[in-house]
């Protein structure tokens, strides 16, 4: 708990003691949240876990700051924790790397995310599915594994090939094409702007 509050205060300063909702977003954080780097899928998977779609390609050409992106992750994960089943069943991260390259790898940013997930936020990570990793990604795998730690590395699974093949494999984990975004050949058309509007409405209704 102490690590949680120390990290929260370091990231949010005086805003750390306000609810982490869209209603309390800083202007800069709201713009970066709207990019859709982290997106909560509208339905849980067949096991009841919250699925979070991660797409680093949206950061291409965008001059972000690592601490801003870390705050975006905190906002998103706190929103995911509001889903009761995610506290019981855990969360699944779907990391989409098709339009990225190894040159997009941001080690300090990955470390900030890893530190938040492992040592600060009360997040139970059930699995990390990585799709269409770029050429030479294996060169970085050792670094990623070191940053994530042994526990999270064991929960990682890599996928490549045709969508139909990937769908077959994901079905074993309770994730059906109807619950996948279109980027992964699924049926969901994600609308981050609409998600923000809905999240803001919920925050003001409380």
């Amino acid at each position: 708990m102490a690590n949680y509050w120390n990290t929260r205060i370091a990231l949010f300063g005086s805003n750390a003691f306000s609810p982490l909702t869209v209603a309390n977003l800083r202007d800069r954080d709201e713009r970066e949240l709207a990019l859709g780097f982290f997106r909560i899928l509208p339905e849980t998977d067949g096991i009841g876990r919250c699925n979070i779609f991660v797409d680093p390609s949206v950061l291409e050409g965008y001059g972000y700051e690592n601490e801003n992106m870390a705050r975006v992750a905190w906002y998103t994960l706190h929103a995911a924790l509001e889903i009761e089943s995610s506290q019981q069943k855990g969360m699944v991260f779907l990391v989409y790397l098709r339009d990225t390259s190894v040159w997009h790898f941001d080690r300090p940013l990955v470390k900030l995310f890893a530190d938040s997930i492992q040592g600060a936020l009360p997040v139970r990570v059930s699995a990390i599915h990585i799709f269409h990793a770029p050429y030479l990604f294996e060169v970085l795998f050792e670094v990623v594994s070191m940053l994530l730690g042994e526990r999270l590395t064991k929960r990682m699974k890599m996928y490549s090939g045709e969508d139909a093949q990937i769908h077959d494999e994901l079905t074993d984990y309770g994730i059906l094409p109807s619950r996948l975004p279109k980027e992964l050949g699924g049926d969901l058309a994600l609308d981050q702007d609409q998600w923000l509007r809905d999240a803001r409405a919920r925050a003001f209704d409380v």
Side-chain angles (χ1 to χ4, degrees):
M1 183 60 72
N3 192 27
Y4 168 83
W5 280 106
N6 288 338
T7 305
R8 180 164 168 161
I9 291 169
L11 286 173
F12 295 93
S14 60
N15 291 337
F17 302 101
S18 300
L20 293 186
T21 67
V22 172
N24 294 322
L25 280 171
R26 302 178 184 184
D27 290 342
R28 174 75 175 182
D29 293 345
E30 182 167 0
R31 290 194 295 272
E32 296 190 339
L33 186 58
L35 290 172
F37 179 59
F38 275 85
R39 282 177 277 182
I40 300 174
L41 299 191
E43 297 183 28
T44 59
D45 60 27
I47 301 174
R49 300 169 302 189
C50 177
N51 289 182
I52 298 177
F53 184 61
V54 184
D55 182 5
S57 70
V58 302
L59 301 180
E60 177 70 27
Y62 187 83
Y64 64 88
E65 294 182 8
N66 287 346
E67 283 199 359
N68 291 8
M69 295 309 302
R71 286 195 294 270
V72 163
W74 272 61
Y75 282 119
T76 305
L77 293 174
H78 272 81
L81 286 168
E82 293 176 5
I83 302 169
E84 185 175 351
S85 63
S86 70
Q87 300 177 29
Q88 302 167 348
K89 305 289 187 179
M91 301 180 191
V92 174
F93 290 85
L94 308 173
V95 184
Y96 179 69
L97 299 179
R98 169 164 277 164
D99 296 321
T100 64
S101 73
V102 293
W103 311 116
H104 293 127
F105 180 71
D106 188 333
R107 178 171 176 165
L109 183 59
V110 172
K111 187 177 188 307
L112 274 174
F113 290 155
D115 289 346
S116 292
I117 292 173
Q118 290 186 103
L121 285 163
V123 173
R124 178 183 173 190
V125 179
S126 298
I128 302 172
H129 299 291
I130 299 177
F131 304 93
H132 308 298
Y135 179 64
L136 295 181
F137 180 79
E138 61 270 18
V139 175
L140 298 174
F141 186 81
E142 185 175 342
V143 176
V144 173
S145 299
M146 179 184 67
L147 294 174
L148 292 180
E150 182 179 0
R151 181 176 63 87
L152 291 181
T153 299
K154 287 181 177 179
R155 287 169 169 73
M156 290 174 57
K157 182 171 174 56
M158 311 283 289
Y159 299 84
S160 60
E162 299 297 324
D163 287 340
Q165 175 189 344
I166 293 174
H167 293 170
D168 286 343
E169 294 184 58
L170 288 176
T171 299
D172 295 336
Y173 296 92
I175 304 174
L176 303 177
S178 61
R179 292 169 170 160
L180 286 173
K182 289 187 177 295
E183 288 88 340
L184 292 172
D187 298 335
L188 296 178
L190 300 181
D191 186 338
Q192 185 71 354
D193 290 336
Q194 184 61 52
W195 182 86
L196 277 170
R197 287 192 290 270
D198 293 343
R200 190 179 292 108
R202 287 194 300 271
F204 284 117
D205 285 342
V206 174

